[in-house]
Amino acid sequence: MPSSITTDVAIIGAGTAGLTAFSELRRLGLSAVLIDHGPLGTTCARVGCMPSKAALHAGHQWANLRALLKEAAAPAGSATPDDLWSHARRTRDLLAGNTAKRTREVAGDRLLTGTARFTGPNTVDVNGQPIHARAFIVATGSRPVVPQALAALGDRLLTTDSLFDLDTLPGSVGMLGLGAIGLEMGLALSRLGVRLVAGDMKALPAGITDPKIGARAIEHFSGEITMWLGRPVEATARQQSIELRSGDAVEQVDVVLAALGRRPNVEGLDLQLAGVPLDARGQPVLHAKTLRAGSSLVFLAGDVSAIRPLMHEAVDEGLIAARAAAQSLGGSPLAELPPRRTPLAIVFSDPDIATVGQAYDTLNLDQTVIGSAQGDANGRSRVMGAEGNLVRLYVDRGNGRLLGAGLLATRGEHLAHLLAWAIQRGETVESLLTMPYYHPSIEEMVQSALKDASRQLKASA
């Protein structure tokens, strides 16, 4: 039997959260091992936020070319959609390769390759090798949700993980799920010339809860994607195609892309042997502040925690889990838990969709003023043909503090960051109105929405 290893903390999963936790534990002077079954490379770099942005960029290039050419044929020697798709895939491979290289450099001989499972509260087994630790951080990420009912589609069923394995683009895609990643990938494919039909049980796409932002998004993107929202969709394999049906609507497509969200990777870890409490769905029950699973020695971080499954949140959770684990081992003056940052979610849909701070569906609307700005009243939006831009700011009626925002806007990713910073700093409508706003800029939409909120606050005073 291979010799056992003893360490302060064993980290299972070498993605963003796991690698961050490993580096932080080393900084705190604790010993750690990093365990991963491979292939190395984070979810973000390999199948998530980075390849989706590469595909969106490819789609943007092709859509711009087609718009300029109108009905004319592309010049000889021009790139094709498959060429642009191949470039996006090479970009993905480069980014994932760089991330894997960095993981090996950071962890060195403390990186163990193999599949881990708990054999007790203080031990995991990695391919037959016992690892004894005083605490554990599970950062095993997530995988796409694929309902068993779709198994009959066989190799004509894709997920957001397997999509980038395609060498060439299909002619048509039926997409189940129109969340943030679903909308991004649907738009990328549509702009590369793929016919898209997409359905979702939710009435609004991309996780939007503000009904006015949602209505504007549907109005804008329905010209690129056929959307069946708020109703079930059935997919049935036929001899030459897949039939999609939703109510009376029927479409034939080449393949189906499941974009129904992601599921934490906890099966096969035998977490119950480590004393981890599980809920009715078999998922670990966590302390929200420390990410600790009950009174066990196990902390969960990143997508596997399912609290805020975003890359920048995985970094924060890696730090939180590392410092909480350090505290559980006797404390450290350097192990103070970092506070959570203002929630920030962006869909790079061009125009971008963003939810910042407190979401619309969590507001007390009786105590909230909503300041709005429209693109048709913003000079820069008109210049760019983006009159459909919409910014909505949620403001506390009592003290004028900015609580949150929802927007659909060209270059909205930048507005979203500015608003997140303002919310985290505790800015008010009046303090933000003292800031500079250059003309003509999209940022003037924030100024206009603040002025609208200010008028409402003064009227109700």
Side-chain angles (χ1 to χ4, degrees):
M1 175 180 290
S3 60
S4 64
I5 294 176
T6 299
T7 186
D8 288 324
V9 184
I11 303 167
I12 306 172
T16 299
L19 191 60
T20 301
F22 180 85
S23 298
E24 181 66 5
L25 289 166
R26 297 295 293 270
R27 188 187 72 84
L28 294 172
L30 296 172
S31 61
V33 295
L34 188 61
I35 306 163
D36 197 279
H37 59 64
L40 293 176
T42 65
T43 297
C44 175
R46 188 172 293 281
V47 296
C49 41
M50 296 310 295
S52 63
K53 304 313 170 288
L56 280 164
H57 180 63
H60 177 74
Q61 290 178 303
W62 183 250
N64 278 351
L65 176 62
R66 296 310 309 165
L68 291 170
L69 290 173
K70 298 187 182 297
E71 299 301 320
S78 296
T80 67
D82 281 333
D83 292 335
L84 295 168
W85 176 251
S86 294
H87 183 268
R89 295 175 67 219
R90 289 195 299 272
T91 300
R92 184 280 301 264
D93 293 343
L94 175 65
L95 294 169
N98 287 342
T99 303
K101 178 181 178 183
R102 176 174 173 268
T103 301
R104 287 188 285 266
E105 290 173 348
V106 170
D109 61 4
R110 305 300 286 177
L111 175 64
L112 307 179
T113 301
T115 300
R117 63 178 185 84
F118 283 92
T119 56
N122 298 94
T123 311
V124 294
D125 176 276
V126 180
N127 293 358
Q129 182 177 30
I131 310 295
H132 304 281
R134 300 165 62 203
F136 299 86
I137 295 175
V138 173
T140 46
S142 61
R143 65 186 186 281
V145 172
V146 182
Q148 184 59 37
L150 297 178
L153 301 182
D155 59 7
R156 289 184 286 178
L157 174 64
L158 302 172
T159 69
T160 49
D161 279 10
S162 64
L163 175 63
F164 286 91
D165 293 335
L166 294 180
D167 293 326
T168 59
L169 294 167
S172 57
V173 171
M175 191 164 63
L176 303 182
L178 260 178
I181 293 298
L183 182 62
E184 285 188 350
M185 290 313 306
L187 289 170
L189 293 171
S190 175
R191 290 166 185 171
L192 284 167
V194 178
R195 181 172 62 87
L196 251 293
V197 181
D200 199 296
M201 286 294 293
K202 293 184 178 179
L204 299 178
I208 299 169
T209 60
D210 186 317
K212 293 195 175 182
I213 300 294
R216 187 65 57 90
I218 293 170
E219 177 185 5
H220 187 90
F221 297 120
S222 59
E224 299 181 81
I225 298 175
T226 298
M227 296 185 186
W228 296 340
L229 296 169
R231 60 193 193 199
V233 179
E234 295 180 356
T236 305
R238 303 300 184 197
Q239 188 170 0
Q240 300 297 327
S241 66
I242 296 172
E243 181 181 278
L244 294 183
R245 183 180 294 273
S246 182
D248 295 331
V250 180
E251 293 277 359
Q252 304 294 323
V253 295
D254 296 327
V255 297
V256 164
L257 173 60
L260 297 164
R262 299 184 69 86
R263 186 190 311 278
N265 286 326
V266 294
E267 293 84 0
L269 289 172
D270 290 339
L271 288 173
Q272 68 278 8
L273 297 180
V276 171
L278 304 177
D279 63 18
R281 298 175 296 112
Q283 300 299 312
V285 179
L286 302 183
H287 187 282
K289 183 177 179 181
T290 64
L291 303 179
R292 188 170 188 168
S295 59
S296 73
L297 305 174
V298 178
F299 302 79
L300 281 81
D303 284 6
V304 74
S305 80
I307 297 174
R308 295 187 188 179
L310 297 166
M311 190 271 191
H312 68 281
E313 299 288 358
V315 172
D316 287 350
E317 290 195 0
L319 289 174
I320 292 170
R323 295 183 189 181
Q327 288 182 352
S328 74
L329 300 182
S332 166
L334 301 176
E336 181 179 351
L337 299 187
R340 282 289 193 178
R341 303 187 219 201
T342 295
L344 172 61
I346 302 171
V347 182
F348 294 81
S349 42
D350 188 23
D352 301 331
I353 299 165
T355 300
V356 187
Q358 195 169 341
Y360 179 90
D361 61 342
T362 67
L363 297 170
N364 180 343
L365 294 177
D366 291 334
Q367 299 299 318
T368 305
V369 162
I370 300 179
S372 297
Q374 303 274 352
D376 58 9
N378 174 259
R380 189 64 182 274
S381 295
R382 281 197 170 276
V383 167
M384 295 190 295
E387 292 88 349
N389 287 350
L390 176 61
V391 173
R392 301 214 334 139
L393 305 182
Y394 314 138
V395 177
D396 188 301
R397 187 181 295 275
N399 57 24
R401 284 185 63 174
L402 185 61
L403 300 173
L407 61 87
L408 182 143
T410 300
R411 301 178 186 172
E413 61 179 293
H414 306 296
L415 297 186
H417 278 87
L418 295 175
L419 292 168
W421 299 342
I423 293 168
Q424 188 157 314
R425 288 175 58 86
E427 300 285 355
T428 67
V429 167
E430 298 308 320
S431 69
L432 288 172
L433 281 171
T434 67
M435 301 296 182
Y437 297 87
Y438 201 83
H439 178 77
S441 67
I442 294 291
E443 283 72 14
E444 286 180 297
M445 291 192 69
V446 173
Q447 184 185 41
S448 296
L450 289 167
K451 288 181 177 179
D452 182 35
S454 179
R455 286 190 292 269
Q456 295 180 60
L457 289 170
K458 290 174 180 176
S460 63

